[in-house]
């Protein structure tokens, strides 16, 4: 692939978004958006244990406004009460918060589907846990060694109220370590030297070119004997689009095909050393474009923030990465999401060479950067 031999990404200027701390919105991840069949652009922002989760609507990024704070018909937090008692696929009680990262709206029923990230170590109200123990009030997971799942909820009143459905993506490795089993289940925990933290930290992509909805997700590997991250890579799963108000199960990509179960199935890396990968379709160029935070190759968790970009023809084989510049410096942030500027493109389709990058860190304001693709002369 030689796309970046012919084109470069130019970041032009900086703007604002309605996803801000002074509006009680603490976005922690890339912002999920979707354009419904009537042309309205919808977005969700925030998470459940800091500020609130807001439902936004407009015609484009230029006029998105919050309509209301969302409510859930289930509680989050304590393991004895949260997520309607629907356990993780491993059999462990669910606990903690929701981080909405994916939004889809059924074209016929107008049912809203939200895919959210969940971790066992945050907002467990005394029942949260990491690789070693329960996590008390005010404590945080050691080396971020808590376990991730991706959940699904739906709304039939345009995002005002949400009902929890089920867990849709779970790692191949169970969500406990050999050191600590929070519920005392008859399950063998993972070894501490190569602890896989489960499927999460993701984005959703509704592909305009086929019949599938995709999730690009991360799995983190941690050596808890040395308390350091080993790897952080991107994987992919998909489910068939439906138009009857129902969401199907996801199938993971493994060794060249979509062939493994979304829950507890095996998976293969599609982009190494990458964090919070987000994909769009470049309609003019007939390419998929991803953005992500680089990990380990030229960046460490506590080091410089660098955002990388790659292109692909099939979403499983990707070009070598490039880095964009802004004001003479390497551009980067913890989360970067490419989004269209216009009022008629699908939320993940860039019609021409102009687009925006939505940029933020953990629970910070989301900044909008105006950008474009420019042909190299």
């Amino acid at each position: 692939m030689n796309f970046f031999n012919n084109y470069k990404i130019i970041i032009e200027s900086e703007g604002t978004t309605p996803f801000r701390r002074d509006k009680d919105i603490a976005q922690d991840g890339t912002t999920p958006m979707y354009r419904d069949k009537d042309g309205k652009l919808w977005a969700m922002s925030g998470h459940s244990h800091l500020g609130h989760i807001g439902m936004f609507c407009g015609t484009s990024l230029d006029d998105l406004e919050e309509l209301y704070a969302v409510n859930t018909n289930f509680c989050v937090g304590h393991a004895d009460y949260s997520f309607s008692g629907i356990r993780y696929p491993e059999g462990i009680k669910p606990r903690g918060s929701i981080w909405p990262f994916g939004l889809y709206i059924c074209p016929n029923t107008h049912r809203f589907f939200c895919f959210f990230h969940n971790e066992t170590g945050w907002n467990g109200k005394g029942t949260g846990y990491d690789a070693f123990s329960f996590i008390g009030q005010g404590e945080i997971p050691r080396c971020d060694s808590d376990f991730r799942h991706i959940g699904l909820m739906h709304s039939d009143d345009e995002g005002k109220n949400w009902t929890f459905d089920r867990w849709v993506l779970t790692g191949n490795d169970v969500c406990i370590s050999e050191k600590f089993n929070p519920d005392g289940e008859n399950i063998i925990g993972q070894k501490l030297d190569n602890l896989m933290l489960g499927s999460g930290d993701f984005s959703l992509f509704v592909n305009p070119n086929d019949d599938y909805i995709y999730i690009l997700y991360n799995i983190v590997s941690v050596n808890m004997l040395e308390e350091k991250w080993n790897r952080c890579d991107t994987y992919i799963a998909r489910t068939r689009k439906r138009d009857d108000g129902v969401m199907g199960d996801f199938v993971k990509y493994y060794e060249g095909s979509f062939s493994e179960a979304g829950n507890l199935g095996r998976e293969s890396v599609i982009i190494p050393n990458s964090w919070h990968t987000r994909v769009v379709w470049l309609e003019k160029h007939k390419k998929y474009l991803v953005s992500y935070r680089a990990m380990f190759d030229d960046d460490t968790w506590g080091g410089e923030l660098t955002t990388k970009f790659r292109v692909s023809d099939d979403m499983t084989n990707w070009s070598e990465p490039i880095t964009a510049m802004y004001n003479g410096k390497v551009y980067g942030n913890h989360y970067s999401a490419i989004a269209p500027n216009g009022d008629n493109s699908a939320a993940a389709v860039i019609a021409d060479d102009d687009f925006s990058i939505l940029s933020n860190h953990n629970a910070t304001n989301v900044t909008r950067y105006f950008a474009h693709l420019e042909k190299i002369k």
Side-chain angles (χ1 to χ4, degrees), residues 34-42 104-112 158 243 343-346:
Y34 193 77
R35 191 178 298 280
D36 69 16
K37 67 175 183 179
D38 300 319
K40 293 180 180 178
L41 181 65
W42 296 86
Y104 176 73
I105 302 171
C106 177
N108 288 339
T109 67
H110 204 56
R111 172 170 281 185
F112 285 35
E158 296 189 325
D243 58 10
D343 60 5
N344 55 13
S345 293

Side-chain angles (χ1 to χ4, degrees), residues 104-320:
Y104 176 73
I105 302 171
C106 177
N108 288 339
T109 67
H110 204 56
R111 172 170 281 185
F112 285 35
F113 291 96
C114 172
F115 297 84
F116 61 82
H117 171 83
N118 167 260
E119 295 186 28
T120 63
W122 296 90
N123 191 35
K125 298 184 177 179
T127 66
Y129 70 94
D130 60 16
F132 289 110
S133 64
F134 286 117
I135 295 173
Q137 187 70 24
E139 297 178 348
I140 63 174
R142 287 176 63 176
C143 200
D144 217 20
S145 66
D146 60 337
F147 298 90
R148 284 85 162 148
H149 296 82
I150 298 175
L152 173 67
M153 59 185 184
H154 76 268
S155 170
D156 287 321
D157 55 9
E158 296 189 325
K160 296 184 184 74
N161 297 282
W162 295 84
T163 298
F164 179 64
D165 293 320
R166 65 189 190 274
W167 303 102
V168 297
L169 275 184
T170 303
N172 178 60
D173 301 281
V174 298
C175 61
I176 60 172
S177 77
E178 60 182 343
K179 182 71 175 178
F180 185 67
N181 186 334
D183 298 339
E185 293 292 331
N186 188 19
I187 301 171
I188 299 173
Q190 296 186 57
K191 298 294 185 183
L192 289 174
D193 61 343
N194 187 33
L195 200 69
M196 307 296 283
L197 300 184
S199 304
D201 304 295
F202 70 96
S203 66
L204 190 78
F205 177 63
V206 182
N207 196 340
N209 303 310
D210 65 21
D211 294 327
Y212 293 95
I213 299 168
Y214 293 82
I215 288 179
L216 285 81
Y217 61 99
N218 284 132
I219 295 179
V220 176
S221 168
V222 184
N223 183 337
M224 287 308 296
L225 299 179
E226 301 178 4
E227 296 200 18
K228 69 176 185 179
W229 285 30
N230 291 328
R231 297 192 59 83
C232 179
D233 304 310
T234 297
Y235 303 77
I236 192 169
R238 73 183 186 186
T239 187
R240 181 170 52 86
K241 296 174 188 173
R242 301 177 63 100
D243 58 10
D244 56 358
V246 173
M247 185 61 62
D249 288 337
F250 278 78
V251 178
K252 293 176 178 177
Y253 180 79
Y254 177 66
E255 293 190 347
S257 68
F258 288 92
S259 57
E260 285 282 320
N263 286 316
L264 299 172
R266 296 168 295 181
E267 48 245 314
S268 294
V269 175
I270 61 165
I271 302 177
N273 305 322
S274 51
W275 171 254
H276 269 263
T277 304
R278 177 93 164 221
V279 63
V280 295
W281 171 248
L282 300 176
E283 176 62 31
K284 176 181 175 180
H285 302 283
K286 308 301 180 187
K287 299 284 185 183
Y288 299 100
L289 172 67
V290 293
S291 57
Y292 60 89
R293 178 182 172 177
M295 299 291 292
F296 300 115
D297 50 356
D298 57 1
D299 184 18
T300 62
W301 187 248
E304 293 297 319
L305 297 170
T306 303
T307 298
K308 299 281 190 180
F309 303 88
R310 297 180 189 239
V311 295
S312 174
D313 295 319
D314 59 9
M315 290 199 297
T316 56
N317 299 282
W318 293 90
S319 70
E320 290 301 308

